[in-house]
Amino acid sequence: MTHDLLTGTTLRERSRRALANPQLQRTLPTVADALSQRRAQAHSQVENYEDLRDAARWIRGEVIANLPEVLEQLATNVEARGGTVFWAATAQEATDYIAGVAQERGARLAVKSKSMATEEVGLNDVLDAAGVEVVETDLGEWIIQLADQTPSHILAPAIHMTREDVSELFNRISGGDLSSVPADLCAFARDQLRDKFLTADLGISGCNFAVAETGTLVLVTNEGNGRLVTSLPPVHVAVMGMERVVRSWQELDVVMTLLPRAATGQDISVYVNHLTGPKQGAERDGPEELHLVILDNGRSELLGSEFQEMLNCIRCGACLNVCPVYRHIGGHAYGWVYSGPMGAVLTPLLHRAEEAGELSDASTLCGACYEACPVKIPLQDLLLSLRRQRAQDGSGMLQAAWGAWARAWSNPAVYRASNRVVSAAVRLLPDALFPRRWTEGRTVPRRSGGRDLRSRLERGQI
Amino acid sequence: MDRSTFLARVRLRLAQTQDAPIPHPPARLSALPAVRYAGGGEPLLAQFLQAASDHGALVRTAHHLGQLTETVSEICDRHKVRTAVVSGDPEANLVRPVLGARGIEVVAAESFAETAEADLGVTGATHAIATTGSVVVDSARAGDRTTSLLPPAHLAVVPASHIVPTPSDLWGDLPRHYPGGLPSQVVFITGPSKSADIEFTLTVGVHGPKSLWIAVLTDR
């Protein structure tokens, strides 16, 4: 789950692999279209959706601009309700702390509901090394954990696999003869994972939002695994990116109205779980301990920079489904936890690998992501800024090449000469030397006389 | 890292914001807009019944105990219920004698495994939401988190007077609805457990209940 595909590969290599996967190519556009259409329908159920997007942008921006104050209030209220707050500056601080909690309780088995923050810090590997078995419980996440793969979509992690693939995988662990009917496969998963829930020592979840004024964590799921993870094991650890907080319930109302609509086109998720502290005196169940890990891990570097607004992201995935690049290459090609336009911005900012930089190229800058974003993050502007930064920070080769081109073409004689060379080259060069694939479907006009715009203008021809 | 060091780092970074203004400063809002839901002209009960049914719940109304008995019988027949767990909600307690009369054993579960083995979980609901067809169960009033979660079928009994118009009526100020302090868990439940993780095919009952029944107690 915590596989890092970035290091040692290029975007082009990963994209080629994705384009050669027939199942991914078949299902990805279908799923993306279905989710986008549902999103559009869900918008219409709310009359002032656009006002709410503006409001959400303001809410998120204001919280981020006052983050220390809001986080302090959140932590105070979580602690007042008997929870423990841990401040993790880095991925390692977060994973060390959680491994410590596991060790203290003598935990052997942890159940987990889908959380991008835990994938970001590589928690599963760390717990595994500490002798704690970690079981992903979201159906899609469990499937890819069994298959030792990574998510291809943040909401539908296993859409690159067919039902036959899943059935084969399940039969491998059961030794049985399961059909490939999704209902049967789900029933099998339910049975297998039930046992894990009933015996787990540790429940690990993410956090969709935290409400500072009461110290409440809000967690949405459709399957119910989020409820099981936070109700059955004696210890619940929630890992939250430090930006996932709102001040008040009034603010929560706005962002929670937008989140399920933007994510899956639902008007509300099946289970919206509001958790305030561990179990209380008279309650018969619920975790005895609640730990909230507030994670920085590079996020504070974005503050005060032109990328600060990226911290407004609520991880809905709407930008993925509408992105013409994502719709072809899918999640794996982005190489890390985050994909689509938000991943193309976030990964270079949070991931230290040099290879991450080129992700800003995985965009046409068409702006569909901004149109879909429920909190109106100007993703295409941020992508452009990343490209600019990279060009400036680079070896200077790219800048030198564009500079030379600009100088050459500002001279009419050189411009004319270059045109003649290219026209001739297209006609004369053998296929092997000319990138034909690039010009397939396009024709270079034959030039008679090779008159450029400026000289025609000077002659009064136009 | 301790709280003060962590927050000091964040403060330090934010202090640079003045030098590098954010390119898209959000316009200052004087007040947050209220969420305006489309429709809503119909009576709350009718809206709720429609929405809950649209989200896959099986909905019945009961004007008196006799009708509640009929609903319970229907559920027991449909799911071949032999054992049930019942939460501490007052509405759920109404169902105890009805189950007893049908010879259904009400189990006082002492472990999650026992709760999970029950054929039916019965709870009340502190609220219900008309536009989404949701029922709201809280851990303090119910006394637990799992009666509504572990058995394969869940029956929520909700008085019609508990129906609020929209989710915003709760989200906008949830603590106001719990004057004694927020319970450790408040869950909005809308329809049965769902997944579309295999080939994007909708399947119910992955982890939570496969069937959600809602009995609305209406005024006589």
Side-chain angles (χ1 to χ4, degrees):
Chain A
M1 219 59 48
T2 52
H3 296 190
D4 183 344
L5 307 173
L6 265 182
T7 317
T9 63
T10 66
L11 174 63
R12 178 169 300 206
E13 288 164 4
R14 296 189 304 267
S15 302
R16 283 211 179 116
R17 265 203 301 276
L19 292 170
N21 178 338
Q23 175 62 15
L24 187 69
Q25 291 305 313
R26 207 166 29 241
T27 52
L28 198 55
T30 317
V31 170
D33 278 345
L35 287 172
S36 285
Q37 277 164 18
R38 282 200 221 154
R39 182 170 53 82
Q41 284 165 5
H43 287 191
S44 65
Q45 298 160 353
V46 172
E47 284 175 353
N48 55 342
Y49 195 85
E50 285 307 310
D51 292 347
L52 296 181
R53 283 179 76 205
D54 287 329
R57 184 181 192 186
W58 180 83
I59 288 168
R60 299 292 299 133
E62 194 276 334
V63 162
I64 301 302
N66 297 289
L67 203 52
E69 179 198 328
V70 183
L71 284 179
E72 208 145 24
Q73 191 191 9
L74 171 69
T76 302
N77 286 324
V78 168
E79 285 165 359
R81 287 293 298 248
T84 310
V85 177
F86 181 77
W87 304 84
T90 61
Q92 198 186 337
E93 284 186 17
T95 53
D96 282 355
Y97 176 76
I98 299 167
V101 170
Q103 213 152 31
E104 213 166 279
R105 302 284 306 204
R108 312 295 307 163
L109 176 64
V111 283
K112 211 170 142 227
S113 69
K114 188 159 64 184
S115 145
M116 309 193 85
T118 57
E119 287 182 30
E120 178 189 320
V121 299
L123 179 62
N124 291 13
D125 290 346
V126 173
L127 287 179
D128 194 45
V132 183
E133 182 192 354
V134 185
V135 179
E136 294 286 347
T137 61
D138 173 83
L139 179 59
E141 291 280 345
W142 188 56
I143 291 170
I144 58 169
Q145 186 184 33
L146 290 175
D148 198 21
Q149 294 183 8
T150 54
S152 49
H153 189 287
I154 62 173
L155 299 174
I159 45 160
H160 58 288
M161 296 172 75
T162 63
R163 59 183 72 190
E164 287 77 18
D165 292 339
V166 177
S167 150
E168 197 187 312
L169 190 67
F170 285 4
N171 282 327
R172 220 191 300 154
I173 57 166
S174 71
D177 195 20
L178 270 172
S179 78
S180 56
V181 178
D184 293 347
L185 298 171
C186 283
F188 175 75
R190 179 187 171 102
D191 280 354
Q192 293 282 313
L193 290 168
R194 244 330 142 81
D195 286 345
K196 301 290 185 189
F197 283 122
L198 292 173
T199 51
D201 310 297
L202 200 63
I204 301 167
S205 76
C207 169
N208 292 95
F209 292 108
V211 186
E213 69 173 336
T214 53
T216 303
L217 310 180
V218 183
L219 194 63
V220 304
T221 61
N222 285 319
E223 296 179 359
N225 59 318
R227 291 182 66 194
L228 289 159
V229 160
T230 58
S231 297
L232 271 55
V235 182
H236 170 208
V237 179
V239 182
M240 179 187 94
M242 68 174 193
E243 77 283 9
R244 302 294 288 277
V245 57
V246 292
R247 282 182 184 271
S248 65
W249 285 89
Q250 208 192 348
E251 292 187 354
L252 183 82
D253 183 28
V254 174
V255 291
M256 280 302 294
T257 303
L258 297 171
L259 176 67
R261 290 181 164 79
T264 50
Q266 288 173 284
D267 54 352
I268 191 166
S269 305
V270 176
Y271 302 113
V272 183
N273 207 351
H274 311 81
L275 299 162
T276 312
K279 76 175 252 191
Q280 292 173 3
E283 297 170 3
R284 281 196 306 277
D285 56 21
E288 295 146 24
E289 290 176 30
L290 168 71
H291 300 258
L292 174 64
V293 177
I294 299 178
L295 179 71
D296 183 333
N297 199 30
R299 286 164 173 76
S300 56
E301 302 285 316
L302 274 62
L303 295 170
S305 81
E306 59 189 312
F307 302 107
Q308 179 168 321
E309 199 167 347
M310 195 56 218
L311 294 177
N312 292 5
C313 177
I314 61 172
R315 308 287 191 269
C316 68
C319 60
L320 279 62
N321 299 322
V322 297
C323 175
V325 176
Y326 175 85
R327 289 164 59 97
H328 283 91
I329 63 176
H332 292 152
Y334 292 81
W336 199 43
V337 183
Y338 304 109
S339 59
M342 59 79 73
V345 176
L346 209 53
T347 302
L349 295 171
L350 294 184
H351 197 294
R352 298 283 172 255
E354 200 181 315
E355 290 94 330
E358 64 174 353
L359 283 182
S360 57
D361 289 344
S363 165
T364 63
L365 302 179
C366 69
C369 43
Y370 169 74
E371 294 297 324
C373 178
V375 296
K376 294 181 104 166
I377 299 171
L379 286 156
Q380 76 281 16
D381 294 351
L382 300 184
L383 285 162
L384 203 55
S385 296
L386 280 168
R387 288 188 191 179
R388 188 172 55 240
Q389 252 188 16
R390 198 160 139 253
Q392 281 163 358
D393 296 347
S395 63
M397 288 279 287
L398 195 63
Q399 269 178 297
W402 286 113
W405 174 78
R407 276 192 300 280
W409 275 29
S410 53
N411 179 326
V414 178
Y415 173 74
R416 275 195 296 275
S418 72
N419 263 323
R420 279 194 292 275
V421 169
V422 171
S423 301
V426 172
R427 283 196 305 277
L428 300 176
L429 283 179
D431 282 8
L433 288 179
F434 196 80
R436 290 279 172 210
R437 274 206 304 184
W438 197 53
T439 60
E440 271 169 13
R442 298 180 181 84
T443 50
V444 179
R446 275 175 181 277
R447 306 186 61 83
S448 50
R451 286 287 164 243
D452 58 273
L453 213 57
R454 183 186 293 191
S455 56
R456 286 163 68 196
L457 190 66
E458 281 164 1
R459 285 153 193 257
Q461 291 175 344
I462 44 176
Chain B
M1 187 175 272
D2 64 277
R3 183 199 282 206
S4 55
T5 319
F6 185 101
L7 293 176
R9 270 165 37 122
V10 174
R11 272 194 199 93
L12 196 68
R13 299 294 314 190
L14 274 169
Q16 302 166 9
T17 308
Q18 285 82 12
D19 305 329
I22 306 165
H24 297 268
R28 181 91 203 169
L29 291 184
S30 52
L32 287 181
V35 182
R36 284 207 316 272
Y37 287 87
E42 279 187 76
L44 289 186
L45 177 61
Q47 278 184 57
F48 174 77
L49 295 175
Q50 185 63 50
S53 164
D54 289 347
H55 284 87
L58 298 153
V59 198
R60 303 289 181 267
T61 53
H63 298 281
H64 49 77
L65 206 59
Q67 283 181 327
L68 185 61
T69 307
E70 278 171 34
T71 299
V72 171
S73 297
E74 186 188 355
I75 296 169
C76 291
D77 290 343
R78 180 86 74 93
H79 300 293
K80 301 188 174 57
V81 174
R82 282 169 311 180
T83 57
V85 283
V86 179
S87 78
D89 293 293
E91 306 88 31
N93 278 325
L94 289 177
V95 181
R96 278 179 191 271
V98 179
L99 289 168
R102 272 195 58 105
I104 309 277
E105 185 194 352
V106 176
V107 183
E110 288 187 354
S111 68
F112 291 129
E114 280 179 36
T115 308
E117 274 166 25
D119 301 313
L120 175 69
V122 183
T123 69
T126 46
H127 303 91
I129 305 171
T131 50
T132 54
S134 315
V135 289
V136 180
V137 179
D138 84 68
S139 56
R141 190 166 177 272
D144 67 61
R145 302 183 181 196
T146 46
T147 299
S148 61
L149 179 62
L150 288 172
H154 170 208
L155 165 64
V157 182
V158 51
S161 60
H162 288 194
I163 302 174
V164 300
T166 74
S168 298
D169 292 296
L170 299 177
W171 276 327
D173 193 2
L174 199 66
R176 186 174 62 81
H177 296 275
Y178 298 92
L182 282 172
S184 74
Q185 185 199 54
V186 178
V187 60
F188 297 2
I189 300 171
T190 313
S193 153
K194 293 187 185 82
S195 174
D197 275 353
I198 299 174
E199 285 193 3
F200 214 54
T201 308
L202 186 69
T203 316
V204 297
V206 187
H207 288 301
K210 294 182 181 77
S211 311
L212 171 66
W213 291 81
I214 302 173
V216 184
L217 305 176
T218 55
D219 294 333
R220 260 160 287 180

